[in-house]
Protein backbone atom coordinates (compact mmCIF):
# COMPACT_ATOMS: atom_id res chain seq x y z
CA UNK A 1 0.00 0.00 0.00
CA UNK A 2 1.31 3.43 -1.01
CA UNK A 3 2.00 5.93 1.80
CA UNK A 4 -0.21 8.65 0.35
CA UNK A 5 -0.17 10.47 3.70
CA UNK A 6 3.42 11.58 3.05
CA UNK A 7 2.60 13.71 -0.01
CA UNK A 8 4.70 16.89 0.62
CA UNK A 9 2.20 19.03 -1.32
CA UNK A 10 -0.58 18.42 1.18
CA UNK A 11 -1.83 21.26 3.37
CA UNK A 12 -4.36 20.83 6.14
CA UNK A 13 -7.41 22.97 6.84
CA UNK A 14 -6.36 22.68 10.51
CA UNK A 15 -3.86 25.43 11.31
CA UNK A 16 -0.25 24.24 11.57
CA UNK A 17 2.22 26.89 12.80
CA UNK A 18 5.54 27.28 11.03
CA UNK A 19 8.21 24.95 12.47
CA UNK A 20 5.55 22.77 14.09
CA UNK A 21 6.64 19.19 14.75
CA UNK A 22 3.22 18.00 13.63
CA UNK A 23 2.34 18.93 10.04
CA UNK A 24 -0.18 16.80 8.14
CA UNK A 25 2.77 14.73 6.82
CA UNK A 26 3.47 13.48 10.38
CA UNK A 27 0.23 12.40 12.13
CA UNK A 28 1.84 10.61 15.11
CA UNK A 29 -0.33 8.46 17.37
CA UNK A 30 -0.89 8.86 21.12
CA UNK A 31 -3.39 8.28 23.92
CA UNK A 32 -5.11 11.23 25.62
CA UNK A 33 -8.09 12.38 27.62
CA UNK A 34 -9.76 15.75 28.18
CA UNK A 35 -11.71 17.29 31.07
CA UNK A 36 -14.91 16.94 29.02
CA UNK A 37 -14.31 13.28 28.23
CA UNK A 38 -12.04 11.54 30.69
CA UNK A 39 -11.97 8.23 28.79
CA UNK A 40 -8.44 7.66 27.47
CA UNK A 41 -8.60 7.21 23.69
CA UNK A 42 -6.54 7.28 20.52
CA UNK A 43 -5.48 10.63 19.13
CA UNK A 44 -3.22 12.02 16.45
CA UNK A 45 -1.29 15.31 16.71
CA UNK A 46 -1.84 17.90 13.98
CA UNK A 47 -0.34 21.38 14.49
CA UNK A 48 -1.47 22.55 17.91
CA UNK A 49 -4.48 20.24 17.81
CA UNK A 50 -5.26 16.66 18.69
CA UNK A 51 -7.54 14.70 16.37
CA UNK A 52 -9.88 12.48 18.39
CA UNK A 53 -9.90 9.17 16.52
CA UNK A 54 -12.58 7.69 18.77
CA UNK A 55 -14.88 10.58 17.80
CA UNK A 56 -14.01 10.21 14.10
CA UNK A 57 -14.77 6.48 14.31
CA UNK A 58 -18.10 7.12 16.06
CA UNK A 59 -19.06 9.53 13.27
CA UNK A 60 -18.46 6.82 10.68
CA UNK A 61 -15.29 8.11 9.02
CA UNK A 62 -13.47 4.76 9.41
CA UNK A 63 -16.42 2.50 8.56
CA UNK A 64 -14.96 1.07 5.34
CA UNK A 65 -11.47 0.34 6.73
CA UNK A 66 -12.44 -3.11 8.00
CA UNK A 67 -11.29 -2.41 11.56
CA UNK A 68 -12.92 -3.13 14.91
CA UNK A 69 -13.69 0.48 15.87
CA UNK A 70 -13.26 -0.38 19.57
CA UNK A 71 -9.49 -0.09 19.02
CA UNK A 72 -9.90 3.71 19.06
CA UNK A 73 -11.49 3.78 22.52
CA UNK A 74 -8.76 1.58 23.96
CA UNK A 75 -6.52 2.93 26.73
CA UNK A 76 -3.45 1.93 24.74
CA UNK A 77 -2.41 1.67 21.09
CA UNK A 78 -1.74 -2.09 21.36
CA UNK A 79 -5.13 -3.13 19.94
CA UNK A 80 -4.75 -0.83 16.93
CA UNK A 81 -1.16 -1.99 16.44
CA UNK A 82 -2.37 -5.61 16.11
CA UNK A 83 -3.61 -4.67 12.62
CA UNK A 84 0.04 -4.36 11.66
CA UNK A 85 1.64 -2.04 9.16
CA UNK A 86 -1.19 -2.30 6.60
CA UNK A 87 -3.73 -1.33 9.28
CA UNK A 88 -1.93 1.70 10.68
CA UNK A 89 -0.92 2.82 7.19
CA UNK A 90 -4.57 2.74 6.07
CA UNK A 91 -5.64 4.77 9.14
CA UNK A 92 -2.93 7.37 8.56
CA UNK A 93 -3.71 7.62 4.83
CA UNK A 94 -7.40 8.12 5.67
CA UNK A 95 -6.56 10.86 8.20
CA UNK A 96 -4.34 12.66 5.68
CA UNK A 97 -7.22 12.64 3.16
CA UNK A 98 -9.82 13.75 5.71
CA UNK A 99 -7.72 16.68 6.93
CA UNK A 100 -6.46 17.76 3.50
CA UNK A 101 -7.50 21.33 2.74
CA UNK A 102 -8.67 20.18 -0.70
CA UNK A 103 -11.19 17.70 0.74
CA UNK A 104 -14.63 18.84 1.95
CA UNK A 105 -15.82 15.48 3.36
CA UNK A 106 -15.06 16.43 6.96
CA UNK A 107 -14.18 20.10 6.52
CA UNK A 108 -17.66 20.80 5.15
CA UNK A 109 -19.32 19.62 8.37
CA UNK A 110 -18.47 22.22 11.02
CA UNK A 111 -20.20 20.25 13.81
CA UNK A 112 -18.09 17.20 13.09
CA UNK A 113 -14.91 19.27 12.92
CA UNK A 114 -15.70 20.74 16.34
CA UNK A 115 -16.17 17.27 17.78
CA UNK A 116 -12.94 15.79 16.45
CA UNK A 117 -10.43 18.68 16.48
CA UNK A 118 -9.36 19.45 20.07
CA UNK A 119 -6.78 21.85 21.41
CA UNK A 120 -3.57 20.10 22.44
CA UNK A 121 -3.51 22.37 25.49
CA UNK A 122 -6.74 20.72 26.72
CA UNK A 123 -5.41 17.17 26.32
CA UNK A 124 -3.70 15.12 29.00
CA UNK A 125 -1.35 12.60 27.43
CA UNK A 126 -0.99 9.02 28.65
CA UNK A 127 1.70 6.40 28.22
CA UNK A 128 0.56 5.36 24.73
CA UNK A 129 1.45 1.68 24.76
CA UNK A 130 1.22 -1.09 27.29
CA UNK A 131 4.88 -1.95 26.98
CA UNK A 132 5.48 -5.67 27.16
CA UNK A 133 9.18 -6.21 27.02
CA UNK A 134 11.78 -3.47 26.88
CA UNK A 135 15.23 -4.05 25.39
CA UNK A 136 18.00 -1.48 25.48
CA UNK A 137 20.76 -1.71 22.90
CA UNK A 138 24.22 -0.14 23.01
CA UNK A 139 24.55 0.71 19.35
CA UNK A 140 26.45 3.99 19.13
CA UNK A 141 30.12 3.36 18.45
CA UNK A 142 31.10 6.77 19.80
CA UNK A 143 29.17 6.18 23.05
CA UNK A 144 30.54 2.67 23.56
CA UNK A 145 34.06 3.94 22.87
CA UNK A 146 33.70 6.87 25.29
CA UNK A 147 32.23 4.72 28.08
CA UNK A 148 34.82 2.00 27.49
CA UNK A 149 37.55 4.62 27.76
CA UNK A 150 36.10 6.13 30.94
CA UNK A 151 35.29 2.91 32.78
CA UNK A 152 38.08 0.68 31.53
CA UNK A 153 40.87 1.28 29.04
CA UNK A 154 41.04 3.74 26.11
CA UNK A 155 43.27 1.33 24.18
CA UNK A 156 40.64 -1.42 24.35
CA UNK A 157 37.48 0.67 24.68
CA UNK A 158 35.28 -1.64 22.61
CA UNK A 159 34.85 -5.24 23.72
CA UNK A 160 35.75 -7.74 20.98
CA UNK A 161 32.08 -8.58 20.27
CA UNK A 162 30.95 -4.98 19.75
CA UNK A 163 31.73 -4.68 16.03
CA UNK A 164 30.16 -8.09 15.31
CA UNK A 165 26.73 -7.84 16.94
CA UNK A 166 24.32 -5.23 18.37
CA UNK A 167 24.97 -5.59 22.11
CA UNK A 168 21.85 -5.20 24.25
CA UNK A 169 20.24 -6.15 27.57
CA UNK A 170 16.70 -6.76 28.75
CA UNK A 171 15.46 -3.73 30.67
CA UNK A 172 12.36 -3.11 32.75
CA UNK A 173 9.09 -1.77 31.33
CA UNK A 174 7.20 -1.00 34.56
CA UNK A 175 9.12 2.23 35.19
CA UNK A 176 8.87 3.69 31.68
CA UNK A 177 6.96 6.94 32.12
CA UNK A 178 5.41 9.62 29.98
CA UNK A 179 7.02 13.04 29.49
CA UNK A 180 6.23 15.40 32.37
CA UNK A 181 6.28 12.77 35.12
CA UNK A 182 8.74 13.78 37.88
CA UNK A 183 11.23 11.28 39.31
CA UNK A 184 12.76 11.04 42.76
CA UNK A 185 16.52 10.75 42.83
CA UNK A 186 17.24 7.04 43.18
CA UNK A 187 19.03 5.54 46.18
CA UNK A 188 21.35 2.59 46.17
CA UNK A 189 24.75 1.09 46.85
CA UNK A 190 27.83 2.93 45.76
CA UNK A 191 31.46 2.04 46.25
CA UNK A 192 33.84 4.95 46.88
CA UNK A 193 37.41 4.34 45.70
CA UNK A 194 39.44 2.56 48.42
CA UNK A 195 36.49 2.35 50.86
CA UNK A 196 33.65 -0.02 51.72
CA UNK A 197 30.31 0.23 49.90
CA UNK A 198 27.85 2.83 51.19
CA UNK A 199 24.11 3.34 50.76
CA UNK A 200 22.46 6.64 49.88
CA UNK A 201 21.03 8.88 47.17
CA UNK A 202 22.90 8.64 43.88
CA UNK A 203 25.25 11.59 43.39
CA UNK A 204 25.72 10.91 39.69
CA UNK A 205 22.25 10.97 38.10
CA UNK A 206 22.58 11.23 34.34
CA UNK A 207 20.43 11.22 31.23
CA UNK A 208 20.89 9.01 28.17
CA UNK A 209 19.85 10.51 24.84
CA UNK A 210 18.17 7.61 23.04
CA UNK A 211 15.36 6.85 20.64
CA UNK A 212 13.01 3.91 20.97
CA UNK A 213 10.98 1.89 18.49
CA UNK A 214 7.78 -0.08 19.07
CA UNK A 215 7.13 -3.39 17.36
CA UNK A 216 3.99 -4.83 15.85
CA UNK A 217 3.15 -8.45 16.63
CA UNK A 218 6.19 -10.46 15.52
CA UNK A 219 6.51 -14.05 14.42
CA UNK A 220 5.77 -17.13 16.54
CA UNK A 221 8.47 -18.22 18.98
CA UNK A 222 11.15 -20.20 17.18
CA UNK A 223 11.06 -18.07 14.03
CA UNK A 224 13.21 -15.07 13.10
CA UNK A 225 12.63 -11.69 11.48
CA UNK A 226 15.16 -10.92 8.74
CA UNK A 227 16.69 -7.49 8.15
CA UNK A 228 14.66 -7.39 4.92
CA UNK A 229 11.39 -7.97 6.79
CA UNK A 230 12.20 -5.91 9.87
CA UNK A 231 10.61 -2.60 8.81
CA UNK A 232 7.25 -4.36 8.41
CA UNK A 233 7.40 -5.21 12.11
CA UNK A 234 8.21 -1.68 13.34
CA UNK A 235 5.29 0.64 14.13
CA UNK A 236 7.10 3.84 15.00
CA UNK A 237 9.60 5.73 17.13
CA UNK A 238 9.71 7.98 20.19
CA UNK A 239 12.24 10.04 22.12
CA UNK A 240 13.67 8.14 25.05
CA UNK A 241 15.67 9.33 28.05
CA UNK A 242 17.10 6.29 29.80
CA UNK A 243 17.91 7.87 33.18
CA UNK A 244 21.05 6.38 34.71
CA UNK A 245 22.74 6.52 38.11
CA UNK A 246 26.42 6.27 37.25
CA UNK A 247 27.73 5.61 40.78
CA UNK A 248 25.27 2.74 41.28
CA UNK A 249 26.02 1.46 37.77
CA UNK A 250 29.76 1.41 38.25
CA UNK A 251 29.55 -0.82 41.34
CA UNK A 252 26.75 -3.18 40.28
CA UNK A 253 27.23 -3.79 36.56
CA UNK A 254 29.79 -6.59 36.69
CA UNK A 255 29.20 -9.26 35.43
CA UNK A 256 25.54 -9.09 34.26
CA UNK A 257 25.19 -5.47 33.18
CA UNK A 258 23.01 -2.58 34.39
CA UNK A 259 20.32 -3.28 36.99
CA UNK A 260 19.16 -0.72 39.60
CA UNK A 261 21.21 2.05 37.96
CA UNK A 262 18.76 2.05 35.05
CA UNK A 263 15.43 0.56 36.09
CA UNK A 264 14.21 3.38 38.35
CA UNK A 265 12.83 5.40 35.41
CA UNK A 266 12.97 6.04 31.68
CA UNK A 267 11.07 8.96 30.12
CA UNK A 268 9.44 8.71 26.70
CA UNK A 269 7.71 11.29 24.48
CA UNK A 270 3.92 10.90 24.20
CA UNK A 271 3.58 10.78 20.40
CA UNK A 272 4.74 7.77 18.38
CA UNK A 273 5.96 8.91 14.98
CA UNK A 274 5.33 6.12 12.49
CA UNK A 275 8.18 4.64 10.50
CA UNK A 276 6.00 5.48 7.49
CA UNK A 277 6.17 9.21 8.32
CA UNK A 278 9.96 8.98 8.63
CA UNK A 279 10.38 7.32 5.22
CA UNK A 280 11.45 10.58 3.44
CA UNK A 281 14.26 11.09 5.96
CA UNK A 282 16.10 7.83 5.36
CA UNK A 283 19.89 8.04 5.11
CA UNK A 284 22.82 5.67 5.10
CA UNK A 285 24.22 4.45 8.41
CA UNK A 286 27.97 4.35 9.14
CA UNK A 287 29.91 1.84 7.07
CA UNK A 288 30.47 -1.40 8.95
CA UNK A 289 33.95 -2.86 9.11
CA UNK A 290 34.31 -5.79 9.65
CA UNK A 291 31.43 -6.88 7.42
CA UNK A 292 28.79 -8.41 9.70
CA UNK A 293 27.59 -12.00 9.39
CA UNK A 294 24.98 -12.70 6.70
CA UNK A 295 21.94 -12.47 8.99
CA UNK A 296 22.94 -8.89 9.88
CA UNK A 297 23.53 -7.69 6.32
CA UNK A 298 20.96 -5.39 4.75
CA UNK A 299 20.30 -3.52 1.51
CA UNK A 300 19.59 0.19 1.09
CA UNK A 301 19.45 3.10 3.52
CA UNK A 302 18.11 2.00 6.89
CA UNK A 303 18.96 4.94 9.14
CA UNK A 304 17.14 8.24 9.59
CA UNK A 305 18.33 11.83 9.72
CA UNK A 306 16.75 12.90 13.01
CA UNK A 307 18.21 15.83 14.96
CA UNK A 308 18.03 15.20 18.69
CA UNK A 309 19.00 17.45 21.57
CA UNK A 310 19.01 17.47 25.35
CA UNK A 311 18.66 20.51 27.57
CA UNK A 312 18.78 21.16 31.30
CA UNK A 313 16.75 23.80 33.14
CA UNK A 314 17.30 24.60 36.82
CA UNK A 315 14.12 25.18 38.86
CA UNK A 316 12.32 28.25 37.42
CA UNK A 317 15.32 28.74 35.12
CA UNK A 318 15.98 28.77 31.42
CA UNK A 319 16.81 25.75 29.26
CA UNK A 320 20.46 25.29 28.34
CA UNK A 321 21.01 22.94 25.42
CA UNK A 322 23.88 20.67 26.44
CA UNK A 323 23.93 18.24 23.53
CA UNK A 324 23.03 18.14 19.83
CA UNK A 325 23.24 14.71 18.24
CA UNK A 326 21.60 12.78 15.41
CA UNK A 327 20.03 9.34 15.11
CA UNK A 328 22.02 8.73 11.92
CA UNK A 329 25.22 8.31 13.97
CA UNK A 330 23.99 4.88 15.15
CA UNK A 331 26.36 2.12 14.00
CA UNK A 332 23.79 -0.68 14.25
CA UNK A 333 20.44 -0.01 12.52
CA UNK A 334 16.99 -0.88 13.83
CA UNK A 335 16.58 -3.62 11.21
CA UNK A 336 19.81 -5.22 12.44
CA UNK A 337 18.73 -4.89 16.07
CA UNK A 338 15.41 -6.61 15.36
CA UNK A 339 17.02 -9.32 13.22
CA UNK A 340 19.58 -9.98 15.93
CA UNK A 341 16.95 -9.96 18.69
CA UNK A 342 14.91 -12.67 16.93
CA UNK A 343 17.67 -14.71 15.27
CA UNK A 344 17.60 -17.22 18.13
CA UNK A 345 13.81 -17.63 17.87
CA UNK A 346 12.90 -15.03 20.51
CA UNK A 347 9.36 -13.80 19.82
CA UNK A 348 8.60 -10.06 19.93
CA UNK A 349 5.07 -8.87 20.51
CA UNK A 350 2.85 -5.94 19.68
CA UNK A 351 3.93 -3.17 22.04
CA UNK A 352 7.47 -4.27 22.77
CA UNK A 353 9.94 -1.40 23.01
CA UNK A 354 13.53 -1.43 21.78
CA UNK A 355 15.76 1.51 22.65
CA UNK A 356 18.84 2.48 20.69
CA UNK A 357 21.29 3.05 23.47
CA UNK A 358 22.84 6.46 24.04
CA UNK A 359 23.37 8.22 20.71
CA UNK A 360 26.67 10.08 20.84
CA UNK A 361 28.05 11.84 17.80
CA UNK A 362 31.68 12.38 16.81
CA UNK A 363 32.10 15.84 18.40
CA UNK A 364 32.28 16.71 22.10
CA UNK A 365 29.03 18.69 21.98
CA UNK A 366 27.18 15.75 20.46
CA UNK A 367 27.79 13.28 23.29
CA UNK A 368 24.53 11.84 24.60
CA UNK A 369 25.16 11.73 28.35
CA UNK A 370 26.63 13.95 31.07
CA UNK A 371 29.14 11.17 31.77
CA UNK A 372 30.67 11.85 28.35
CA UNK A 373 29.89 15.59 28.04
CA UNK A 374 31.70 16.38 31.30
CA UNK A 375 34.13 13.47 30.93
CA UNK A 376 32.99 11.95 34.23
CA UNK A 377 32.72 15.32 35.91
CA UNK A 378 36.18 16.60 35.05
CA UNK A 379 34.85 19.25 32.61
CA UNK A 380 31.66 20.78 34.08
CA UNK A 381 29.13 22.46 31.78
CA UNK A 382 28.01 26.03 32.43
CA UNK A 383 24.29 26.75 32.43
CA UNK A 384 22.78 30.02 31.20
CA UNK A 385 22.30 31.14 34.81
CA UNK A 386 26.05 30.72 35.45
CA UNK A 387 25.77 27.59 37.59
CA UNK A 388 27.76 24.50 36.67
CA UNK A 389 26.66 20.92 36.12
CA UNK A 390 28.70 17.73 36.30
CA UNK A 391 25.59 15.59 36.58
CA UNK A 392 21.87 16.31 37.16
CA UNK A 393 20.96 18.22 40.32
CA UNK A 394 17.74 18.09 42.34
CA UNK A 395 14.88 20.07 40.75
CA UNK A 396 16.59 20.18 37.35
CA UNK A 397 14.28 19.49 34.42
CA UNK A 398 15.88 17.59 31.57
CA UNK A 399 14.16 17.87 28.18
CA UNK A 400 14.85 15.92 25.02
CA UNK A 401 13.62 17.18 21.65
CA UNK A 402 13.87 15.77 18.14
CA UNK A 403 12.84 16.35 14.55
CA UNK A 404 13.65 15.41 10.97
CA UNK A 405 13.56 18.08 8.27
CA UNK A 406 13.94 17.97 4.49
CA UNK A 407 12.63 20.01 1.56
CA UNK A 408 10.56 22.24 3.83
CA UNK A 409 8.80 19.38 5.62
CA UNK A 410 9.55 18.95 9.32
CA UNK A 411 8.44 15.78 11.07
CA UNK A 412 9.04 16.09 14.81
CA UNK A 413 8.62 14.19 18.03
CA UNK A 414 7.67 16.94 20.47
CA UNK A 415 9.53 16.48 23.73
CA UNK A 416 10.36 14.06 26.51
CA UNK A 417 10.83 16.01 29.75
CA UNK A 418 11.45 14.89 33.30
CA UNK A 419 12.27 16.64 36.57
CA UNK A 420 14.55 15.12 39.20
CA UNK A 421 13.08 15.62 42.67
CA UNK A 422 15.13 15.11 45.86
CA UNK A 423 15.50 11.52 47.07
CA UNK A 424 12.60 10.20 49.15
MN1 LIG B 1 20.51 3.12 27.90
Amino acid sequence: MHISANDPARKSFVHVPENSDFPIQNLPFGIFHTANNTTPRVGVALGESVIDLAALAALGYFNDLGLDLAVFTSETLNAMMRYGKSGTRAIRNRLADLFDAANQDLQGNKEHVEQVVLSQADCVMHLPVQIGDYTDFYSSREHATNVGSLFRDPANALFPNWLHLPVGYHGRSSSIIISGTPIHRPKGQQKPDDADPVFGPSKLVDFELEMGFFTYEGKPMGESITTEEAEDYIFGMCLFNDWSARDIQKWEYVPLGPFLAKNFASTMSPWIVTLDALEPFKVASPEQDPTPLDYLKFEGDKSYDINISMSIAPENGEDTVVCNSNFKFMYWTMVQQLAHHTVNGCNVRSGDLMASGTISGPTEDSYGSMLELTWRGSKPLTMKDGTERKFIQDNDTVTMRGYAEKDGIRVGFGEAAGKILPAK
Side-chain angles (χ1 to χ4, degrees), residues 42-90:
V42 178
V44 154
L46 178 56
E48 289 169 333
S49 304
V50 171
I51 308 306
D52 184 338
L53 267 56
L56 268 179
L59 292 169
Y61 288 97
F62 296 143
N63 278 358
D64 58 334
L65 290 183
L67 306 169
D68 175 358
L69 300 181
V71 303
F72 299 111
T73 48
S74 177
E75 292 187 356
T76 63
L77 297 174
N78 299 60
M80 186 190 80
M81 288 161 66
R82 282 197 191 92
Y83 284 104
K85 181 137 292 192
S86 63
T88 54
R89 185 172 292 178

Side-chain angles (χ1 to χ4, degrees), residues 146-167:
N146 289 338
V147 171
S149 303
L150 281 164
F151 276 137
R152 290 188 313 274
D153 169 16
N156 298 290
L158 291 181
F159 278 113
N161 61 0
W162 200 93
L163 291 168
H164 294 274
L165 55 87
V167 170

Side-chain angles (χ1 to χ4, degrees), residues 283-351:
V283 289
S285 46
E287 207 169 308
Q288 298 187 325
D289 181 17
T291 305
L293 293 174
D294 280 346
Y295 81 94
L296 289 169
K297 287 181 183 153
F298 63 91
E299 306 267 331
D301 292 344
K302 296 294 178 192
S303 195
Y304 298 85
D305 185 357
I306 304 169
N307 304 292
I308 40 182
S309 70
M310 200 68 97
S311 60
I312 301 174
E315 185 147 52
N316 304 318
E318 233 184 308
D319 255 351
T320 301
V321 176
V322 295
C323 152
N324 281 297
S325 186
N326 194 300
F327 185 75
K328 71 182 178 191
F329 296 137
M330 299 285 297
Y331 186 86
W332 294 103
T333 59
M334 293 186 286
V335 300
Q336 291 177 310
Q337 291 169 339
L338 195 50
H340 184 66
H341 204 305
T342 60
V343 75
N344 63 347
C346 172
N347 49 326
V348 301
R349 295 177 293 191
S350 173

Side-chain angles (χ1 to χ4, degrees), residues 134 136-137 143 169 208 210 240 242 244 262 355-358:
Y134 156 49
D136 196 18
F137 285 95
H143 173 68
Y169 70 97
E208 289 193 333
E210 305 196 16
F240 197 76
D242 184 23
S244 300
K262 303 269 189 179
S356 57
T358 307

